[in-house]
Amino acid sequence: MSLLFDPGFVILREDQSVKLFNIILVMSQVFGGMAVLLVTIWMSKFESGFAWSEDPDKEFNYHPTFMVMGMVFLYGESILVYRVFRNERKKFSKTLHVILHSIVLVFMLTALKAVFDYHNLHKDASGNPAPIVNMVSLHSWIGLTVAILFCTQYAVGFITYFFPGMPIPIRQLVMPFHQMFGVLIFIFVSITVAMGISERAAWKHTCWTKEGQMCAQQAVSSFVGVFTFLYSVCVLLLVLNPRWKRQPLPEEEGLHHLTSSHSMTD
């Protein structure tokens, strides 16, 4: 396994390596786009669409939609910035990285509000308040942990590398941990999404839990999980291959050597 991520272990010529990179990149965009499209179809067509707190049942639908859009797709795109734009100036890549992460943060907080409102403002069939207890499932425990980790990662990264920006020695110290936790959080997000899809399907999709048959709703939700998994695999392949690591441009040489030759995402 170590050979696969050894920059000195070369199987493909440079042109073949670039072609493989482009193929996996295109595949990642197709898979990620399909995950976003299908979760939107799932929530809008099969779960009655969207609303705010005046209709908590529909407000919940923002939760899976924004989590897949933000914590899966846009988070993955933010990680890929340093791979896709590895020939651009680092300031451009860093700014885009921060912007994408900021959008992810907004999506994530909105998604969390949606699910807590769904529980706290829930009403029974007669319209009377009937709150649902929060934080009882394994999905919720892991999900909230991942959300806290992401917020911590965002805050540390923003302060250290963007504003106000820490001295170079501190950046050098933090960078390996910033990279490692960024990838680990992304992996945990994919796992949490899969758990959430299974939990929602078990609660709401009576076609297979009661009627014992596959239906369009169940198929769509399952494909959301499949495409999320495939997208995550593609992102990890692109990120973990050191041959596709961004190299400093000539004008950047000697400025901010924050990572070693074995760094993952920068």
Side-chain angles (χ1 to χ4, degrees), residues 108-154:
M108 183 196 73
L109 293 176
T110 304
L112 289 177
K113 179 182 184 301
V115 72
F116 279 110
D117 280 355
Y118 169 67
H119 286 175
N120 297 332
L121 304 178
H122 186 263
K123 297 179 181 179
D124 60 23
S126 302
N128 299 314
I132 301 173
V133 63
N134 291 300
M135 303 302 298
V136 295
S137 69
L138 182 59
H139 167 71
S140 64
W141 293 358
I142 296 179
L144 187 59
T145 301
V146 170
I148 293 172
L149 289 175
F150 175 82
C151 290
T152 303
Q153 170 86 345
Y154 177 88

Side-chain angles (χ1 to χ4, degrees), residues 35-44 50-52 58-76 100-115 150 189 193 224 228:
V36 171
L37 175 63
L38 289 177
V39 74
T40 304
I41 292 174
W42 179 19
M43 291 297 118
S44 60
F50 304 91
W52 293 113
K58 292 184 179 180
E59 184 183 8
F60 171 86
N61 296 341
Y62 284 113
H63 179 73
T65 304
F66 283 174
M67 283 300 186
V68 172
M69 286 182 176
M71 289 295 284
V72 175
F73 185 66
L74 291 180
Y75 190 178
L100 288 173
H101 270 304
S102 299
I103 297 174
V104 172
L105 181 65
V106 172
F107 274 31
M108 183 196 73
L109 293 176
T110 304
L112 289 177
K113 179 182 184 301
V115 72
F150 175 82
V189 165
V193 167
V224 172
T228 294

Side-chain angles (χ1 to χ4, degrees), residues 58-95:
K58 292 184 179 180
E59 184 183 8
F60 171 86
N61 296 341
Y62 284 113
H63 179 73
T65 304
F66 283 174
M67 283 300 186
V68 172
M69 286 182 176
M71 289 295 284
V72 175
F73 185 66
L74 291 180
Y75 190 178
E77 297 300 284
S78 71
I79 295 176
L80 291 179
V81 160
Y82 289 108
R83 290 292 191 262
V84 176
F85 300 105
R86 59 185 182 276
N87 296 320
E88 301 293 333
R89 293 179 62 86
K90 189 171 185 179
K91 184 177 181 180
F92 169 81
S93 300
K94 181 189 294 186
T95 302

Side-chain angles (χ1 to χ4, degrees), residues 169-186:
I170 296 180
R171 297 188 183 193
Q172 291 174 327
L173 175 65
V174 173
M175 180 58 77
F177 299 99
H178 182 69
Q179 294 171 336
M180 178 183 68
F181 281 110
V183 173
L184 287 177
I185 291 171
F186 180 70

Side-chain angles (χ1 to χ4, degrees), residues 152-265:
T152 303
Q153 170 86 345
Y154 177 88
V156 171
F158 190 91
I159 293 171
T160 304
Y161 300 106
F162 196 75
F163 182 82
M166 296 290 106
I168 297 299
I170 296 180
R171 297 188 183 193
Q172 291 174 327
L173 175 65
V174 173
M175 180 58 77
F177 299 99
H178 182 69
Q179 294 171 336
M180 178 183 68
F181 281 110
V183 173
L184 287 177
I185 291 171
F186 180 70
I187 294 173
F188 293 152
V189 165
S190 300
I191 295 172
T192 307
V193 167
M195 296 172 62
I197 292 171
S198 298
E199 181 179 316
R200 184 67 175 178
W203 276 93
K204 291 290 185 177
H205 298 181
T206 58
C207 62
W208 73 281
T209 57
K210 294 183 179 180
E211 300 167 21
Q213 61 183 359
M214 174 65 79
C215 60
Q217 183 180 25
Q218 180 64 19
V220 169
S221 66
S222 295
F223 274 116
V224 172
V226 169
F227 284 117
T228 294
F229 172 77
L230 292 174
Y231 175 72
S232 301
V233 169
C234 288
V235 170
L236 293 175
L237 287 175
L238 294 170
V239 167
L240 295 177
N241 188 337
R243 193 171 181 182
W244 297 329
K245 172 184 176 291
R246 181 188 184 278
Q247 300 297 327
L249 299 177
E251 61 269 26
E252 296 172 349
E253 290 288 350
L255 290 179
H256 300 305
H257 296 291
L258 298 181
T259 60
S260 68
S261 61
H262 296 288
S263 66
M264 295 185 295
T265 61

